Amino acid sequence: MGGPGDPPEGTPEGAPGGGEDEYRSVVFDESFVRAARIQEYSAQERMADHTPAVRRRPTLHRGLSRQAFILVLLIAVAFGTAIYMGVRNPYQSPVAQQPAEPLRMTVIPLSPQGKVPGAADPEYLYTHSPAAQFRIGAEGIPLPASRRTAHFSDSQVVTALTTAKDYIVRSSLDPEVLTGQQVRPVRVLLDSGQLDQFDQSFDHPTADGRHAPTGWLVRFDPAQAELADRKIRVQGTLSAAETDSSTLEVTADHTFVYALRPTGSGDQAEVSLFTVRRELHFRFDRDDLRLHQAQLVVSYVQAGPLSCAEDSMNHLHPLLAGQTAKSGGPAGTDPYATGNATALCGALAPSAQPKV
C-alpha cells in the first residue's frame, strides 16, 4: 500500500522516487498571484454568462507617486511666482547708483544788538525765551507719518527719515561732538563718497563753502564755552520725497537752543542761551538705505549770538552773558578771487533773546 501522501494508484510511472514533487521549489506567494496578468473567475462569476473562464487583469502603471507629483507641481508654481514678482516688483532699481554729491554749506553768524542776556538758572532763561514750548533733545525731532512713493516702499521711506534723524541728533545734541571731542559718531553716518570731503574739512578747514566743520556739525570752542544744561531745547520738521526712481530726499529744518556758560566757571557764572537753526538736505540711494548712511548735500546754518569779526568756520565762538559783539566784521570779499565764499553776517533780532 502506498503511504498516506501517495496517490491511490501509487506513484506514477516515471515520477521521481520518494514522492518528491518536481515543482516543490516553485513558490507562488501572494505578490506573485496578485501580479498575474490572467486571473480565473470565481465560481459565482463562472455561473454567469461569461464565455471565457479567465479574465485579463489591467496592467499596473508605474511612475511618480501622487505625493511626488504634487511636490513637483508646488515647486514649479513657487518658482514661477518668484520670477513674476521679480519682474513686477516696483521697488527694484535697474538704474546704476550715482556718485555722492559734495556738500554745499553756508554758515551765517548772527550778531546781537546789545549785551547778551544772562541768568543763574538755565530753566529761567528757557521759560522767558521763544524756546519755552520746545521739546527736550531728540523728542524735538519726531518722525512724520510716512507713506510709500512710486519707487520706494514704506520701510525704505522710514529708513531714510530715521537715518536723517540720527544724523541730526549726533551732529547737534551729542555732548562730545558739541565740545569738539568727537567727530566719528557723525562721520559713520555719511555716504562713503563724502568721507574725503568730511576729513579734509576737519584736517584743513577752508572758507570755500565746502570745507567748514561747522557746516557738518555743531561744535563750540571748548576753550571758551561749555554746556550749562544738557537738556537742549529743539523744535523743527522732517519731510521725505522721491526725486527720481533711484533717489529719496529728506529735508530737515530745526532750531536748537543751548544753555552755555564760560568754560571752567562752575555754577558761579551766569548762563546765556545760544541758538542754532539748521536747514539740512539729505539724499539717499538704495545703497545708502541698505547701509543706514546718508548724503548730506545742503547745509544752511544760522547761529548766534556771535560776533561777525570772529571766524565761525572751525568752531562757533558764542558771545556769553553780558558780552557784546566786537566792532567790525569779516574781511572784504574779492569778487575776482576764486574758491572763496562770500562772507555773510546777520543781526540777531532782540525778540530771539530771552526777556530778563
Side-chain angles (χ1 to χ4, degrees):
M1 291 181 62
D6 296 331
E9 297 81 2
T11 303
E13 184 180 355
E20 293 182 359
D21 186 353
E22 62 177 323
Y23 300 105
R24 189 185 299 267
S25 62
V26 179
V27 179
F28 298 97
D29 59 10
E30 184 179 354
S31 62
F32 179 84
V33 174
R34 283 204 306 264
R37 298 289 299 276
I38 298 176
Q39 183 181 13
E40 184 179 2
Y41 285 102
S42 66
Q44 184 174 0
E45 290 173 324
R46 288 199 299 269
M47 292 175 63
D49 294 333
H50 290 287
T51 302
V54 297
R55 61 184 172 192
R56 184 175 297 273
R57 298 186 66 179
T59 303
L60 294 176
H61 294 284
R62 298 183 180 273
L64 292 175
S65 67
R66 176 180 300 232
Q67 292 83 355
F69 176 75
I70 293 176
L71 179 60
V72 172
L73 180 61
L74 290 175
I75 292 174
V77 171
F79 185 71
T81 302
I83 294 177
Y84 176 80
M85 293 301 294
V87 172
R88 298 285 297 175
N89 185 3
Y91 307 126
Q92 277 193 330
S93 174
V95 182
Q97 306 295 347
Q98 298 297 321
E101 180 180 334
L103 170 61
R104 295 173 287 115
M105 60 183 69
T106 303
V107 180
I108 301 178
L110 301 178
S111 178
Q113 300 181 23
K115 286 186 178 182
V116 176
D121 182 14
E123 193 64 38
Y124 176 85
L125 289 177
Y126 282 131
T127 303
H128 292 80
S129 76
Q133 303 302 319
F134 286 15
R135 295 184 179 181
I136 296 174
E139 293 182 358
I141 313 173
L143 295 180
S146 59
R147 292 185 177 180
R148 57 181 286 184
T149 65
H151 298 91
F152 292 90
S153 66
D154 289 329
S155 63
Q156 288 174 316
V157 175
V158 171
T159 297
L161 290 167
T162 302
T163 305
K165 176 177 177 176
D166 288 346
Y167 186 95
I168 296 167
V169 169
R170 296 188 189 186
S171 63
S172 308
L173 300 176
D174 188 328
E176 291 190 338
V177 172
L178 295 175
T179 56
Q181 300 177 48
Q182 288 284 347
V183 298
R184 188 177 182 279
V186 178
R187 188 181 188 275
V188 296
L189 288 178
L190 288 171
D191 183 285
S192 59
Q194 292 189 313
L195 295 182
D196 287 343
Q197 183 187 6
F198 182 89
D199 293 339
Q200 186 178 348
S201 298
F202 290 87
D203 294 339
H204 306 286
T206 308
D208 60 356
R210 292 288 190 273
H211 299 94
T214 50
W216 296 98
L217 49 81
V218 177
R219 68 173 183 174
F220 304 108
D221 183 355
Q224 184 177 357
E226 64 183 17
L227 289 173
D229 183 2
R230 294 198 173 191
K231 297 178 181 179
I232 300 164
R233 301 315 198 257
V234 186
Q235 180 171 281
T237 60
L238 278 172
S239 61
E242 178 181 315
T243 56
D244 56 50
S245 61
S246 61
T247 309
L248 277 175
E249 183 168 304
V250 173
T251 302
D253 185 354
H254 293 86
T255 300
F256 305 85
V257 184
Y258 306 86
L260 304 177
R261 64 162 59 99
T263 300
S265 62
D267 297 335
Q268 291 77 23
E270 284 192 328
V271 177
S272 60
L273 298 185
F274 188 87
T275 304
V276 177
R277 179 175 178 180
R278 303 181 77 197
E279 297 179 37
L280 306 178
H281 291 232
F282 301 90
R283 284 183 187 164
F284 299 86
D285 59 29
R286 297 182 189 278
D287 282 342
D288 293 324
L289 296 173
R290 178 174 55 86
L291 298 172
H292 194 66
Q293 295 176 341
Q295 303 173 39
L296 180 59
V297 294
V298 176
S299 173
Y300 182 80
V301 180
Q302 296 175 321
L306 290 170
S307 175
C308 292
E310 293 284 351
D311 177 15
S312 301
M313 177 181 60
N314 195 14
H315 291 89
L316 298 175
H317 303 276
L319 294 174
L320 302 175
Q323 294 181 338
T324 57
K326 297 179 180 178
S327 59
T333 300
D334 182 357
Y336 297 96
T338 59
N340 291 319
T342 302
L344 298 173
C345 186
L348 183 63
S351 59
Q353 297 276 44
K355 303 295 188 293
V356 297

